[in-house]
Amino acid sequence: MSDRHIIRRVRGIDTSDGAGVKLKRVIGQPELDMLDPFLLLDEFRSDQAGDYIAGFPEHPHRGFETVTYMLAGHMQHRDNHGNHGDLGPGSVQWMTAGRGILHSEMPQQENGLMWGFQLWVNLPAKDKMTAPRYQDIAPQRIPVVRPAAGVEVKLIAGTLAGATGPVEGIATAPLYLDIGLQPGAALTLDLPDGRNGFAYVFEGESALVGGEKLERGELGVLSEGSQLQLAGGEQPVRLLVVAGRPLEEPVVRYGPFVMNTSAEIHDAIADFRAGRF
Ligand code: MN
């Protein structure tokens, strides 16, 4: 067994997307363009309606997956294939856009806290034009695992301590964990070789990740290895630990289209304009 450690630290940059939703872009920005297979990580958190109320009106996606994890607030999802759903606190939507969808993601609240994450996960070339697929996961379907004293893990994808998260059939074999650590708590996480991973502290002050302090709002890119040592700080802390199998394929991205070649991007634009999504 070899321990993983932090090889790079990144803080999100303030930006806005959709019709003017303020957010922090942690992956998919100049400091960290991508971490194969992860193309983007946004954290949105505000209790000011003006920061989120405009939402994400109809927009397309092709060639990858969007994963929305809500911590607080409600977002309604609706697409051009007749799918719709309400994403409430603690719920996850793993959307495989595949060959293309047009959808909107709109706040279903006019005040109060809206907080969550959106992660973009790339699809291998052979799956980029697959049929769109949704996994809408209510909070009660997400196992809460307590592998050690003072440790509480929401297991969204992957396996931990004999439990398996509800997200299924994803090409990059992802691990997606929301880990709560009390002061003094410690955990050794199996994080198999051959996967890229990161940790991102989103609540509390700091955690020890691979023996080093990682502060709230910092993403730590993890080295190779087969396990990760985590420990709490002086206050209760929560962090995401996410890992996945890198695709090691060419990436050509143009806004909401992520393909392998420029020609495929041109096709995506043409198909979108022709109403073929
Ligand atoms: Mn979207």
Side-chain angles (χ1 to χ4, degrees):
M1 301 296 271
S2 61
D3 280 343
R4 292 177 182 251
H5 57 274
I6 295 171
I7 51 172
R8 194 166 167 194
R9 292 160 183 273
V10 180
R11 282 190 178 272
I13 59 167
D14 291 314
T15 186
S16 70
D17 207 339
V21 177
K22 289 191 179 159
L23 50 83
K24 283 218 186 282
R25 181 146 296 159
V26 195
I27 300 176
Q29 47 112 340
E31 291 291 306
L32 185 59
D33 178 45
M34 65 177 284
L35 178 64
D36 189 10
F38 307 111
L39 301 160
L40 175 144
L41 176 68
D42 286 342
E43 179 179 11
F44 46 92
R45 181 185 182 177
S46 179
D47 57 8
Q48 302 297 309
D51 290 345
Y52 59 72
I53 203 78
F56 302 87
E58 191 171 79
H59 58 277
H61 293 286
R62 173 180 279 184
F64 61 102
E65 308 183 278
T66 68
V67 182
T68 306
Y69 178 33
M70 296 297 291
L71 297 174
H74 285 264
M75 194 85 92
Q76 189 178 67
H77 163 266
R78 188 172 291 278
D79 80 4
N80 65 322
H81 298 284
N83 301 295
H84 60 92
D86 184 38
L87 295 176
S91 65
V92 172
Q93 182 190 65
W94 199 293
M95 183 189 81
T96 305
R99 64 177 172 249
I101 57 113
L102 280 171
H103 77 162
S104 61
E105 297 149 285
M106 298 301 289
Q108 294 301 295
Q109 63 192 52
E110 293 177 352
N111 51 57
L113 179 63
M114 174 75 76
W115 188 11
F117 301 97
Q118 190 165 90
L119 177 72
W120 288 10
V121 184
N122 207 0
L123 284 169
K126 67 177 179 54
D127 293 338
K128 282 188 177 292
M129 295 298 277
T130 193
R133 176 187 178 207
Y134 293 89
Q135 298 185 61
D136 280 324
I137 295 153
Q140 59 270 22
R141 286 186 52 213
I142 298 173
V144 177
V145 182
R146 295 180 178 83
V151 179
E152 188 174 286
V153 182
K154 293 182 175 145
L155 177 53
I156 294 165
T159 60
L160 175 68
T164 300
V167 174
E168 295 179 327
I170 304 298
T172 48
L175 179 72
Y176 192 130
L177 307 176
D178 169 351
I179 301 176
L181 297 168
Q182 295 298 316
L187 171 67
T188 300
L189 206 60
D190 285 333
L191 223 167
D193 286 311
R195 291 193 211 178
N196 286 336
F198 65 85
Y200 180 72
V201 178
F202 63 90
E203 190 171 54
E205 289 179 353
S206 65
L208 287 173
V209 175
E212 285 182 55
K213 189 189 253 194
L214 190 69
E215 293 181 349
R216 179 160 60 88
E218 271 191 313
L219 179 144
V221 177
L222 302 176
S223 69
E224 283 288 305
S226 56
Q227 61 183 29
L228 179 65
Q229 308 283 351
L230 297 172
E234 289 171 13
Q235 307 286 332
V237 64
R238 267 171 91 186
L239 67 159
L240 298 181
V241 171
V242 177
R245 188 172 59 78
L247 298 174
E248 296 171 340
E249 292 178 354
V251 174
V252 182
R253 57 200 286 179
Y254 180 74
F257 309 134
V258 183
M259 304 301 291
N260 300 108
T261 67
S262 304
E264 290 166 349
I265 292 290
H266 290 140
D267 290 346
I269 295 167
D271 286 349
F272 170 58
R273 289 193 179 145
R276 288 193 285 260
F277 275 33

Short mmCIF file of all heavy atoms in Angstrom, two decimals, residues 85-138:
data_model
loop_
_atom_site.label_atom_id
_atom_site.label_comp_id
_atom_site.label_asym_id
_atom_site.label_seq_id
_atom_site.Cartn_x
_atom_site.Cartn_y
_atom_site.Cartn_z
N GLY A 85 -37.17 17.10 -13.02
CA GLY A 85 -37.06 16.66 -11.64
C GLY A 85 -36.63 17.79 -10.75
O GLY A 85 -36.05 18.78 -11.22
N ASP A 86 -36.96 17.63 -9.47
CA ASP A 86 -36.60 18.63 -8.47
C ASP A 86 -35.40 18.11 -7.70
O ASP A 86 -35.43 16.99 -7.18
CB ASP A 86 -37.79 18.87 -7.53
CG ASP A 86 -37.50 19.97 -6.52
OD1 ASP A 86 -36.85 20.96 -6.90
OD2 ASP A 86 -37.92 19.83 -5.36
N LEU A 87 -34.34 18.88 -7.66
CA LEU A 87 -33.15 18.50 -6.90
C LEU A 87 -33.17 19.27 -5.59
O LEU A 87 -32.98 20.48 -5.58
CB LEU A 87 -31.88 18.85 -7.67
CG LEU A 87 -31.64 18.09 -8.99
CD1 LEU A 87 -30.40 18.62 -9.68
CD2 LEU A 87 -31.49 16.61 -8.71
N GLY A 88 -33.40 18.54 -4.49
CA GLY A 88 -33.45 19.17 -3.18
C GLY A 88 -32.19 18.89 -2.39
O GLY A 88 -31.26 18.24 -2.88
N PRO A 89 -32.14 19.37 -1.14
CA PRO A 89 -30.94 19.23 -0.32
C PRO A 89 -30.52 17.76 -0.17
O PRO A 89 -31.35 16.91 0.16
CB PRO A 89 -31.36 19.81 1.04
CG PRO A 89 -32.50 20.71 0.72
CD PRO A 89 -33.21 20.10 -0.46
N GLY A 90 -29.26 17.48 -0.42
CA GLY A 90 -28.72 16.14 -0.26
C GLY A 90 -28.91 15.24 -1.47
O GLY A 90 -28.48 14.10 -1.46
N SER A 91 -29.56 15.75 -2.52
CA SER A 91 -29.79 14.89 -3.68
C SER A 91 -28.69 15.07 -4.72
O SER A 91 -27.95 16.05 -4.72
CB SER A 91 -31.16 15.18 -4.29
OG SER A 91 -31.20 16.49 -4.81
N VAL A 92 -28.61 14.08 -5.58
CA VAL A 92 -27.59 14.05 -6.63
C VAL A 92 -28.25 13.77 -7.96
O VAL A 92 -29.15 12.93 -8.03
CB VAL A 92 -26.55 12.93 -6.33
CG1 VAL A 92 -25.59 12.74 -7.50
CG2 VAL A 92 -25.77 13.23 -5.05
N GLN A 93 -27.83 14.47 -8.98
CA GLN A 93 -28.21 14.08 -10.33
C GLN A 93 -26.94 13.80 -11.12
O GLN A 93 -26.08 14.68 -11.26
CB GLN A 93 -29.00 15.18 -11.05
CG GLN A 93 -29.41 14.71 -12.45
CD GLN A 93 -29.97 15.83 -13.28
OE1 GLN A 93 -29.29 16.77 -13.62
NE2 GLN A 93 -31.25 15.74 -13.58
N TRP A 94 -26.82 12.57 -11.60
CA TRP A 94 -25.71 12.20 -12.47
C TRP A 94 -26.28 12.10 -13.87
O TRP A 94 -27.01 11.17 -14.18
CB TRP A 94 -25.09 10.87 -12.03
CG TRP A 94 -23.70 10.66 -12.56
CD1 TRP A 94 -23.33 10.48 -13.86
CD2 TRP A 94 -22.49 10.63 -11.79
NE1 TRP A 94 -21.96 10.34 -13.95
CE2 TRP A 94 -21.43 10.42 -12.68
CE3 TRP A 94 -22.21 10.75 -10.42
CZ2 TRP A 94 -20.09 10.33 -12.26
CZ3 TRP A 94 -20.90 10.66 -10.01
CH2 TRP A 94 -19.84 10.45 -10.93
N MET A 95 -26.02 13.09 -14.70
CA MET A 95 -26.59 13.16 -16.04
C MET A 95 -25.52 12.84 -17.07
O MET A 95 -24.51 13.53 -17.15
CB MET A 95 -27.16 14.55 -16.31
CG MET A 95 -27.82 14.61 -17.70
SD MET A 95 -28.29 16.28 -18.16
CE MET A 95 -26.71 16.90 -18.74
N THR A 96 -25.77 11.80 -17.84
CA THR A 96 -24.89 11.44 -18.96
C THR A 96 -25.47 12.12 -20.19
O THR A 96 -26.49 11.68 -20.71
CB THR A 96 -24.84 9.91 -19.11
OG1 THR A 96 -24.46 9.33 -17.86
CG2 THR A 96 -23.87 9.50 -20.21
N ALA A 97 -24.85 13.22 -20.60
CA ALA A 97 -25.42 13.98 -21.72
C ALA A 97 -25.31 13.19 -23.01
O ALA A 97 -26.18 13.26 -23.88
CB ALA A 97 -24.73 15.33 -21.86
N GLY A 98 -24.21 12.42 -23.17
CA GLY A 98 -24.04 11.63 -24.38
C GLY A 98 -24.16 12.50 -25.62
O GLY A 98 -23.61 13.59 -25.69
N ARG A 99 -24.93 12.03 -26.61
CA ARG A 99 -24.97 12.72 -27.92
C ARG A 99 -25.67 14.07 -27.85
O ARG A 99 -25.55 14.88 -28.77
CB ARG A 99 -25.61 11.83 -28.97
CG ARG A 99 -27.06 11.51 -28.71
CD ARG A 99 -27.62 10.67 -29.87
NE ARG A 99 -28.95 10.21 -29.54
CZ ARG A 99 -29.25 8.93 -29.30
NH1 ARG A 99 -28.32 8.00 -29.37
NH2 ARG A 99 -30.47 8.59 -28.98
N GLY A 100 -26.41 14.32 -26.77
CA GLY A 100 -26.88 15.69 -26.64
C GLY A 100 -28.23 15.85 -26.00
O GLY A 100 -29.17 15.10 -26.29
N ILE A 101 -28.30 16.82 -25.14
CA ILE A 101 -29.57 17.26 -24.57
C ILE A 101 -29.56 18.79 -24.53
O ILE A 101 -28.52 19.43 -24.62
CB ILE A 101 -29.81 16.74 -23.13
CG1 ILE A 101 -28.68 17.17 -22.20
CG2 ILE A 101 -30.00 15.25 -23.09
CD1 ILE A 101 -29.14 18.13 -21.18
N LEU A 102 -30.78 19.33 -24.42
CA LEU A 102 -30.97 20.75 -24.13
C LEU A 102 -31.71 20.78 -22.81
O LEU A 102 -32.76 20.16 -22.69
CB LEU A 102 -31.90 21.38 -25.17
CG LEU A 102 -31.34 21.77 -26.51
CD1 LEU A 102 -32.50 22.16 -27.43
CD2 LEU A 102 -30.41 22.95 -26.34
N HIS A 103 -31.14 21.47 -21.82
CA HIS A 103 -31.86 21.49 -20.56
C HIS A 103 -31.71 22.83 -19.85
O HIS A 103 -30.90 23.68 -20.22
CB HIS A 103 -31.43 20.32 -19.66
CG HIS A 103 -30.11 20.49 -18.98
ND1 HIS A 103 -29.74 19.75 -17.89
CD2 HIS A 103 -29.08 21.33 -19.21
CE1 HIS A 103 -28.54 20.11 -17.49
NE2 HIS A 103 -28.11 21.06 -18.26
N SER A 104 -32.55 22.98 -18.82
CA SER A 104 -32.45 24.15 -17.95
C SER A 104 -32.32 23.67 -16.52
O SER A 104 -32.82 22.59 -16.17
CB SER A 104 -33.69 25.04 -18.10
OG SER A 104 -34.85 24.33 -17.73
N GLU A 105 -31.61 24.44 -15.72
CA GLU A 105 -31.44 24.16 -14.30
C GLU A 105 -31.78 25.46 -13.58
O GLU A 105 -31.01 26.42 -13.63
CB GLU A 105 -30.00 23.74 -14.01
CG GLU A 105 -29.59 22.45 -14.72
CD GLU A 105 -28.12 22.39 -15.08
OE1 GLU A 105 -27.70 23.06 -16.04
OE2 GLU A 105 -27.37 21.69 -14.40
N MET A 106 -32.99 25.50 -12.98
CA MET A 106 -33.50 26.76 -12.44
C MET A 106 -33.81 26.64 -10.95
O MET A 106 -34.43 25.67 -10.51
CB MET A 106 -34.77 27.16 -13.20
CG MET A 106 -34.55 27.40 -14.70
SD MET A 106 -33.34 28.70 -15.08
CE MET A 106 -34.25 30.16 -14.60
N PRO A 107 -33.42 27.65 -10.17
CA PRO A 107 -33.73 27.66 -8.74
C PRO A 107 -35.23 27.60 -8.52
O PRO A 107 -35.99 28.25 -9.23
CB PRO A 107 -33.18 29.01 -8.25
CG PRO A 107 -32.21 29.43 -9.28
CD PRO A 107 -32.68 28.85 -10.58
N GLN A 108 -35.65 26.81 -7.52
CA GLN A 108 -37.06 26.75 -7.12
C GLN A 108 -37.22 27.41 -5.76
O GLN A 108 -37.84 26.88 -4.87
CB GLN A 108 -37.53 25.30 -7.09
CG GLN A 108 -37.54 24.66 -8.46
CD GLN A 108 -38.44 25.41 -9.43
OE1 GLN A 108 -39.65 25.45 -9.24
NE2 GLN A 108 -37.86 26.03 -10.44
N GLN A 109 -36.60 28.55 -5.59
CA GLN A 109 -36.72 29.30 -4.35
C GLN A 109 -36.40 30.75 -4.70
O GLN A 109 -35.68 31.03 -5.66
CB GLN A 109 -35.73 28.79 -3.31
CG GLN A 109 -34.27 28.95 -3.72
CD GLN A 109 -33.32 28.20 -2.82
OE1 GLN A 109 -33.47 27.00 -2.58
NE2 GLN A 109 -32.31 28.88 -2.31
N GLU A 110 -36.97 31.66 -3.92
CA GLU A 110 -36.74 33.07 -4.18
C GLU A 110 -35.91 33.71 -3.09
O GLU A 110 -35.58 34.90 -3.15
CB GLU A 110 -38.08 33.79 -4.34
CG GLU A 110 -38.78 33.30 -5.61
CD GLU A 110 -40.15 33.90 -5.80
OE1 GLU A 110 -40.65 34.57 -4.88
OE2 GLU A 110 -40.72 33.70 -6.88
N ASN A 111 -35.58 32.92 -2.05
CA ASN A 111 -34.69 33.42 -1.01
C ASN A 111 -34.08 32.22 -0.30
O ASN A 111 -34.41 31.07 -0.59
CB ASN A 111 -35.44 34.33 -0.03
CG ASN A 111 -36.70 33.67 0.49
OD1 ASN A 111 -36.64 32.58 1.05
ND2 ASN A 111 -37.84 34.30 0.26
N GLY A 112 -33.17 32.49 0.61
CA GLY A 112 -32.52 31.41 1.35
C GLY A 112 -31.26 30.92 0.66
O GLY A 112 -30.90 31.38 -0.42
N LEU A 113 -30.62 29.98 1.34
CA LEU A 113 -29.32 29.49 0.89
C LEU A 113 -29.45 28.51 -0.27
O LEU A 113 -30.27 27.58 -0.23
CB LEU A 113 -28.61 28.79 2.08
CG LEU A 113 -27.23 28.19 1.80
CD1 LEU A 113 -26.22 29.26 1.40
CD2 LEU A 113 -26.75 27.43 3.04
N MET A 114 -28.65 28.72 -1.28
CA MET A 114 -28.49 27.78 -2.40
C MET A 114 -27.02 27.36 -2.37
O MET A 114 -26.13 28.20 -2.46
CB MET A 114 -28.83 28.50 -3.71
CG MET A 114 -28.57 27.70 -4.96
SD MET A 114 -29.78 26.42 -5.27
CE MET A 114 -31.14 27.42 -5.86
N TRP A 115 -26.79 26.05 -2.21
CA TRP A 115 -25.41 25.60 -2.04
C TRP A 115 -25.25 24.23 -2.66
O TRP A 115 -26.06 23.33 -2.39
CB TRP A 115 -25.08 25.54 -0.54
CG TRP A 115 -23.64 25.28 -0.19
CD1 TRP A 115 -22.55 25.30 -1.03
CD2 TRP A 115 -23.13 24.94 1.11
NE1 TRP A 115 -21.41 25.02 -0.33
CE2 TRP A 115 -21.73 24.80 0.98
CE3 TRP A 115 -23.72 24.77 2.35
CZ2 TRP A 115 -20.92 24.48 2.07
CZ3 TRP A 115 -22.91 24.45 3.44
CH2 TRP A 115 -21.52 24.31 3.30
N GLY A 116 -24.23 24.07 -3.44
CA GLY A 116 -23.96 22.76 -4.00
C GLY A 116 -22.78 22.79 -4.96
O GLY A 116 -22.03 23.78 -5.02
N PHE A 117 -22.66 21.69 -5.68
CA PHE A 117 -21.53 21.51 -6.59
C PHE A 117 -22.02 21.01 -7.94
O PHE A 117 -23.00 20.26 -8.00
CB PHE A 117 -20.56 20.44 -6.06
CG PHE A 117 -19.98 20.77 -4.72
CD1 PHE A 117 -20.54 20.25 -3.57
CD2 PHE A 117 -18.90 21.62 -4.61
CE1 PHE A 117 -20.02 20.56 -2.32
CE2 PHE A 117 -18.37 21.94 -3.38
CZ PHE A 117 -18.93 21.41 -2.23
N GLN A 118 -21.32 21.41 -8.98
CA GLN A 118 -21.47 20.70 -10.25
C GLN A 118 -20.09 20.28 -10.73
O GLN A 118 -19.16 21.09 -10.82
CB GLN A 118 -22.19 21.50 -11.32
CG GLN A 118 -22.50 20.59 -12.52
CD GLN A 118 -23.50 21.15 -13.50
OE1 GLN A 118 -23.12 21.85 -14.45
NE2 GLN A 118 -24.78 20.86 -13.30
N LEU A 119 -20.00 18.98 -11.01
CA LEU A 119 -18.77 18.36 -11.52
C LEU A 119 -19.04 17.89 -12.94
O LEU A 119 -20.11 17.34 -13.20
CB LEU A 119 -18.45 17.15 -10.61
CG LEU A 119 -17.23 16.29 -10.98
CD1 LEU A 119 -15.93 17.04 -10.67
CD2 LEU A 119 -17.28 14.97 -10.19
N TRP A 120 -18.11 18.12 -13.83
CA TRP A 120 -18.22 17.57 -15.19
C TRP A 120 -17.22 16.43 -15.31
O TRP A 120 -16.03 16.61 -15.01
CB TRP A 120 -17.90 18.62 -16.25
CG TRP A 120 -18.95 19.69 -16.42
CD1 TRP A 120 -20.03 19.93 -15.61
CD2 TRP A 120 -19.00 20.68 -17.46
NE1 TRP A 120 -20.75 21.00 -16.10
CE2 TRP A 120 -20.14 21.48 -17.23
CE3 TRP A 120 -18.20 20.94 -18.57
CZ2 TRP A 120 -20.49 22.54 -18.07
CZ3 TRP A 120 -18.54 22.00 -19.40
CH2 TRP A 120 -19.68 22.78 -19.16
N VAL A 121 -17.73 15.28 -15.77
CA VAL A 121 -16.91 14.08 -15.92
C VAL A 121 -16.89 13.71 -17.39
O VAL A 121 -17.95 13.58 -18.03
CB VAL A 121 -17.51 12.91 -15.10
CG1 VAL A 121 -16.60 11.69 -15.18
CG2 VAL A 121 -17.74 13.32 -13.64
N ASN A 122 -15.70 13.52 -17.94
CA ASN A 122 -15.62 13.24 -19.36
C ASN A 122 -16.10 11.83 -19.67
O ASN A 122 -16.11 10.95 -18.81
CB ASN A 122 -14.16 13.43 -19.84
CG ASN A 122 -14.09 13.79 -21.31
OD1 ASN A 122 -15.11 13.91 -22.00
ND2 ASN A 122 -12.88 13.98 -21.80
N LEU A 123 -16.52 11.64 -20.92
CA LEU A 123 -16.89 10.31 -21.42
C LEU A 123 -15.81 9.83 -22.39
O LEU A 123 -15.25 10.65 -23.13
CB LEU A 123 -18.22 10.39 -22.19
CG LEU A 123 -19.51 10.50 -21.38
CD1 LEU A 123 -20.68 10.83 -22.29
CD2 LEU A 123 -19.78 9.21 -20.60
N PRO A 124 -15.55 8.52 -22.39
CA PRO A 124 -14.61 8.00 -23.38
C PRO A 124 -15.16 8.18 -24.79
O PRO A 124 -16.38 8.25 -24.99
CB PRO A 124 -14.48 6.52 -23.02
CG PRO A 124 -15.66 6.20 -22.17
CD PRO A 124 -16.10 7.48 -21.53
N ALA A 125 -14.27 8.22 -25.78
CA ALA A 125 -14.67 8.43 -27.17
C ALA A 125 -15.82 7.51 -27.57
O ALA A 125 -16.79 7.94 -28.21
CB ALA A 125 -13.47 8.22 -28.10
N LYS A 126 -15.75 6.25 -27.15
CA LYS A 126 -16.76 5.27 -27.59
C LYS A 126 -18.14 5.57 -27.00
O LYS A 126 -19.14 5.05 -27.50
CB LYS A 126 -16.32 3.85 -27.23
CG LYS A 126 -16.29 3.57 -25.73
CD LYS A 126 -15.91 2.11 -25.48
CE LYS A 126 -15.82 1.77 -24.00
NZ LYS A 126 -17.02 2.09 -23.21
N ASP A 127 -18.21 6.37 -25.96
CA ASP A 127 -19.50 6.66 -25.30
C ASP A 127 -20.00 8.08 -25.53
O ASP A 127 -21.07 8.44 -25.03
CB ASP A 127 -19.40 6.44 -23.79
CG ASP A 127 -19.17 4.98 -23.42
OD1 ASP A 127 -19.50 4.11 -24.25
OD2 ASP A 127 -18.66 4.74 -22.32
N LYS A 128 -19.25 8.90 -26.24
CA LYS A 128 -19.63 10.31 -26.35
C LYS A 128 -20.98 10.51 -27.03
O LYS A 128 -21.69 11.46 -26.74
CB LYS A 128 -18.54 11.13 -27.04
CG LYS A 128 -17.38 11.45 -26.10
CD LYS A 128 -16.40 12.42 -26.73
CE LYS A 128 -15.29 12.80 -25.75
NZ LYS A 128 -15.77 13.62 -24.62
N MET A 129 -21.32 9.59 -27.94
CA MET A 129 -22.58 9.75 -28.68
C MET A 129 -23.64 8.76 -28.18
O MET A 129 -24.61 8.44 -28.89
CB MET A 129 -22.33 9.59 -30.18
CG MET A 129 -21.44 10.68 -30.76
SD MET A 129 -22.16 12.35 -30.61
CE MET A 129 -23.24 12.33 -32.05
N THR A 130 -23.49 8.30 -26.96
CA THR A 130 -24.48 7.40 -26.36
C THR A 130 -25.79 8.15 -26.10
O THR A 130 -25.83 9.38 -26.12
CB THR A 130 -23.91 6.80 -25.05
OG1 THR A 130 -24.73 5.72 -24.63
CG2 THR A 130 -23.87 7.83 -23.94
N ALA A 131 -26.85 7.41 -25.87
CA ALA A 131 -28.14 8.04 -25.56
C ALA A 131 -28.05 8.73 -24.19
O ALA A 131 -27.41 8.21 -23.28
CB ALA A 131 -29.25 7.00 -25.54
N PRO A 132 -28.68 9.89 -24.05
CA PRO A 132 -28.67 10.57 -22.75
C PRO A 132 -29.29 9.68 -21.66
O PRO A 132 -30.20 8.90 -21.92
CB PRO A 132 -29.53 11.81 -22.99
CG PRO A 132 -29.51 12.03 -24.46
CD PRO A 132 -29.40 10.66 -25.08
N ARG A 133 -28.76 9.82 -20.45
CA ARG A 133 -29.24 8.99 -19.33
C ARG A 133 -29.18 9.81 -18.05
O ARG A 133 -28.24 10.59 -17.85
CB ARG A 133 -28.31 7.78 -19.21
CG ARG A 133 -28.60 6.88 -18.04
CD ARG A 133 -27.50 5.80 -17.91
NE ARG A 133 -27.77 4.96 -16.76
CZ ARG A 133 -26.84 4.31 -16.07
NH1 ARG A 133 -25.57 4.41 -16.41
NH2 ARG A 133 -27.17 3.58 -15.03
N TYR A 134 -30.18 9.63 -17.21
CA TYR A 134 -30.22 10.33 -15.92
C TYR A 134 -30.19 9.36 -14.77
O TYR A 134 -30.86 8.34 -14.81
CB TYR A 134 -31.53 11.13 -15.77
CG TYR A 134 -31.62 12.27 -16.72
CD1 TYR A 134 -32.17 12.09 -17.98
CD2 TYR A 134 -31.15 13.52 -16.37
CE1 TYR A 134 -32.24 13.13 -18.87
CE2 TYR A 134 -31.22 14.56 -17.26
CZ TYR A 134 -31.77 14.36 -18.51
OH TYR A 134 -31.83 15.39 -19.38
N GLN A 135 -29.45 9.69 -13.75
CA GLN A 135 -29.60 9.00 -12.47
C GLN A 135 -29.93 10.10 -11.46
O GLN A 135 -29.06 10.87 -11.07
CB GLN A 135 -28.31 8.26 -12.11
CG GLN A 135 -27.97 7.18 -13.14
CD GLN A 135 -26.77 6.33 -12.75
OE1 GLN A 135 -26.76 5.67 -11.73
NE2 GLN A 135 -25.75 6.37 -13.59
N ASP A 136 -31.21 10.18 -11.12
CA ASP A 136 -31.67 11.15 -10.11
C ASP A 136 -31.74 10.42 -8.78
O ASP A 136 -32.50 9.45 -8.65
CB ASP A 136 -33.05 11.71 -10.48
CG ASP A 136 -32.95 12.81 -11.52
OD1 ASP A 136 -31.97 13.59 -11.47
OD2 ASP A 136 -33.83 12.89 -12.38
N ILE A 137 -30.98 10.85 -7.83
CA ILE A 137 -30.81 10.10 -6.58
C ILE A 137 -31.26 10.94 -5.40
O ILE A 137 -30.67 11.99 -5.09
CB ILE A 137 -29.34 9.67 -6.43
CG1 ILE A 137 -29.01 8.68 -7.58
CG2 ILE A 137 -29.10 9.01 -5.09
CD1 ILE A 137 -27.58 8.67 -7.95
N ALA A 138 -32.33 10.46 -4.75
CA ALA A 138 -32.83 11.14 -3.56
C ALA A 138 -31.86 10.90 -2.40
O ALA A 138 -31.17 9.88 -2.36
CB ALA A 138 -34.22 10.60 -3.21
#
